[in-house]
Amino acid sequence: MKYISTRGQAPALNFEQVLLTGLASDGGLYVPETLPTFSRDEIAAMAALDYPALALKIISPFVDDCIPAGDLKAIIDETYAEFRHNAVAPMVQLAANQWVLELFHGPTLAFKDFALQLLGRLLDYILERKHQKVVIMGATSGDTGSAAIEGCKRCKNIDIYILHPHNRVSDVQRRQMTTVVGDTIHNLAVEGNFDDCQAMVKASFADRSFLPADRSLVAVNSINWARIMAQIVYYFYAALALGSPSRPVAFSVPTGNFGDIFAGYLARQMGLPVERLIIATNRNDVLHRVMTTSTYGRQPLAHTLSPSMDITVSSNFERLLFDLYDRDGAALAALMRRFDTADITFSDAAMARARELFSSHRVSDEQTCEQIASTWRECEYLLDPHSAIGVAAALAVTDLPAGTPVITLATAHPAKFPQAVKASGLDQAVNLPLHLQDLFERAERFEVLPNALSAVQDYMAKSISA
Ligand SMILES: *Cc1c(COP(=O)(O)O)cnc(C)c1O
């Protein structure tokens, strides 16, 4: 399996190389050169598999001969044993044809665990084999940082540095990062905002001279291909549980960077009968605007009750555009270069193709709260604000073939966002799951650093493991 860049200029890579790379050298994102596909009979046979066995089936062709089958199986089994539900990704029914796929039973209570638990283990396996060590650096305003730290905490060959804006992340989210113990885990609380943190990460990737010569820098944001790959699995798992391939299904996906929903698109390209993919956004609606107007443009960031979807551009959308433009890397490179300085409008042909499969819906904070409240009233089921946006979008779709089940991806546990539950007028206590109930008693460890690149890089240089 070869991976190629959406902008057509960077060298093709194998799985091992793509795992250790973030952005391609031409500024594009890596995608598989050809997708593995499964026949209807092959998909029907997958219905008998439990989650780890299904994951092995779906993931193997992407990893190809980079990892021996027995080792890959062991890595996947260990990854999904970390999840605290026997089904790994269970489903709950809210109404006729309305289902919720619970993706929050991993260590940090958000769907990012599905990918980052696997990514940490894959990286460590490959680094061990190569006798190499790397540095992971990332900025977080919430979920990504804790999922990355949990995913890497046992990795001997990775020093991980996660920057968060000091005093500007929620208590639950900060504690999920800062209470993880380990010499290779570094939480840096920067006296600035999230954009300052992100700018420092970007600058460090651009000039890595502050690091020892034998260390490369690895990104764990959703431009990393392995994250997308891991997320394809649960689309198959949920559809199979509801009778696919005989029964087509639709998915509603709370979307920020378009990583999670892009995995659903790939599942369909691989043969899964997906009738529709619903892009559910909050007020940061760049994707809803592109679906309705064909124009892709930046607007100022809005802070919402669903902070993990607060973005101004959706980096993984480029991966879909690559297909919509018939995989013409040169055309896409020209388009994206223009987007550096201006809004861009996509061709009618490209957008017509997108609209055959995707629809979109924007949900305000007020509607989010209404959805949390009404689902609680009707089903005694508590949604987190991101999942509530997904459910609201699922209920807004009226043009699906009769009887099509709509599966909303529940991307986080409601206890991560108690303020949204409160804002919905519920006085329901939201308890953290048992394994996190002592979160507020655990000791925290983080380093407060001034808002200066040199301070962050000096700290990193002197604390990197030998
Ligand atoms: C990251 C995240 C999202 C958005 O996922 P994308 O892959 O960026 O679209 C949605 N909900 C939660 C809870 C998240 O943490």
Side-chain angles (χ1 to χ4, degrees):
M1 169 82 61
K2 284 271 172 224
Y3 294 87
I4 56 171
S5 165
T6 51
R7 300 198 189 174
Q9 292 299 310
L13 302 181
N14 68 14
F15 180 76
E16 176 179 312
Q17 295 164 323
V18 89
L19 191 66
L20 292 163
T21 311
L23 222 50
S25 56
D26 58 5
L29 283 79
Y30 276 103
V31 291
E33 187 169 41
T34 52
L35 276 179
T37 56
F38 298 107
S39 70
R40 206 183 147 92
D41 286 348
E42 285 170 325
I43 293 173
M46 293 176 188
L49 304 177
D50 63 12
Y51 196 93
L54 179 67
L56 182 64
K57 191 108 200 153
I58 305 281
I59 288 172
S60 291
F62 291 110
V63 174
D64 207 7
D65 56 6
C66 283
I67 300 177
D71 291 353
L72 183 61
K73 180 179 184 312
I75 291 170
I76 289 175
D77 286 350
E78 195 188 294
T79 297
Y80 295 106
E82 286 286 337
F83 285 64
R84 284 177 170 79
H85 193 291
N86 288 338
V88 182
M91 268 199 288
V92 170
Q93 187 167 18
L94 296 183
N97 297 318
Q98 292 292 337
W99 298 79
V100 166
L101 176 64
E102 294 186 341
L103 300 176
F104 51 70
H105 295 282
T108 73
L109 314 181
F111 86 97
K112 291 186 172 72
D113 289 328
F114 277 82
L116 285 165
Q117 284 291 317
L118 182 64
L119 180 61
R121 288 176 171 84
L122 288 171
L123 277 173
D124 208 39
Y125 173 90
I126 280 176
L127 293 169
E128 186 73 26
R129 208 172 56 181
K130 289 165 70 97
H131 305 292
Q132 200 184 320
K133 288 187 171 196
V134 298
V135 174
I136 283 178
M137 186 181 186
T140 193
S141 55
D143 291 342
T144 305
S146 58
I149 287 172
E150 277 289 343
C152 294
K153 71 180 179 189
R154 289 191 200 85
C155 300
K156 298 188 291 289
N157 303 300
I158 301 174
D159 288 289
I160 180 165
Y161 293 86
I162 299 293
L163 282 57
H164 71 263
H166 188 39
N167 290 330
R168 296 193 199 192
V169 297
S170 81
D171 288 348
V172 174
Q173 288 182 322
R174 187 193 67 252
R175 284 181 163 273
Q176 281 190 304
M177 298 190 279
T178 57
T179 59
V180 181
V181 193
D183 292 339
T184 54
I185 298 166
H186 303 275
N187 280 288
L188 309 185
V190 174
E191 292 172 318
N193 60 29
F194 173 65
D195 289 339
D196 297 328
C197 295
Q198 202 155 36
M200 290 184 191
V201 172
K202 237 184 170 164
S204 302
F205 272 86
D207 178 1
R208 308 173 184 194
S209 56
F210 68 101
L211 289 173
D214 64 341
R215 299 300 155 93
S216 52
L217 205 52
V218 172
V220 289
N221 50 12
S222 63
I223 58 173
N224 190 304
W225 162 255
R227 284 187 57 180
I228 308 280
M229 173 189 79
Q231 292 164 1
I232 299 170
V233 179
Y234 48 69
Y235 286 91
F236 275 86
Y237 188 68
L240 285 161
L242 294 185
S244 278
S246 314
R247 193 183 185 201
V249 298
F251 289 94
S252 176
V253 188
T255 307
N257 257 324
F258 206 74
D260 201 5
I261 195 166
F262 184 71
Y265 165 79
L266 294 178
R268 182 172 186 270
Q269 301 303 96
M270 292 165 71
L272 192 70
V274 177
E275 181 75 37
R276 184 76 60 85
L277 289 168
I278 302 159
I279 299 167
T281 80
N282 65 20
R283 247 171 64 218
N284 297 291
D285 60 349
V286 59
L287 289 167
H288 180 61
R289 280 183 281 118
V290 80
M291 291 304 295
T292 45
T293 66
S294 303
T295 294
Y296 195 51
R298 292 184 179 83
Q299 280 192 357
L301 186 78
H303 291 282
T304 71
L305 287 173
S306 42
S308 302
M309 290 154 58
D310 289 347
I311 45 86
T312 54
V313 294
S314 269
S315 38
N316 280 291
F317 192 61
E318 180 167 338
R319 287 185 157 122
L320 177 68
L321 283 172
F322 186 54
D323 280 3
L324 296 177
Y325 278 84
D326 296 314
R327 309 202 126 205
D328 181 345
L332 206 56
L335 257 176
M336 297 315 291
R337 255 197 313 275
R338 255 191 290 144
F339 184 61
D340 286 341
T341 52
D343 292 0
I344 48 178
T345 299
F346 301 126
S347 72
D348 291 342
M351 289 312 297
R353 271 163 83 178
R355 290 181 191 117
E356 278 170 23
L357 176 62
F358 292 92
S359 49
S360 70
H361 197 73
R362 172 186 52 217
V363 180
S364 67
D365 272 354
E366 196 181 2
Q367 292 166 320
T368 305
C369 289
E370 280 166 13
Q371 191 61 56
I372 292 174
S374 70
T375 301
W376 175 256
R377 248 188 346 263
E378 290 162 21
C379 312
E380 282 193 36
Y381 186 77
L382 197 56
L383 292 165
D384 101 285
H386 306 82
S387 312
I389 287 173
V391 171
L395 293 171
V397 171
T398 52
D399 59 346
L400 283 171
T404 308
V406 186
I407 302 164
T408 296
L409 273 48
T411 50
H413 190 288
K416 280 194 102 161
F417 302 96
Q419 62 287 13
V421 176
K422 215 170 179 181
S424 307
L426 307 181
D427 47 19
Q428 188 61 27
V430 244
N431 292 325
L432 285 164
L434 273 181
H435 68 98
L436 283 172
Q437 274 187 359
D438 64 345
L439 186 66
F440 283 83
E441 279 100 66
R442 294 181 195 169
E444 288 190 82
R445 208 179 70 176
F446 59 92
E447 199 71 30
V448 181
L449 293 176
N451 187 6
L453 181 62
S454 59
V456 168
Q457 293 187 337
D458 287 350
Y459 181 85
M460 290 176 69
K462 72 176 198 304
S463 57
I464 280 171
S465 60

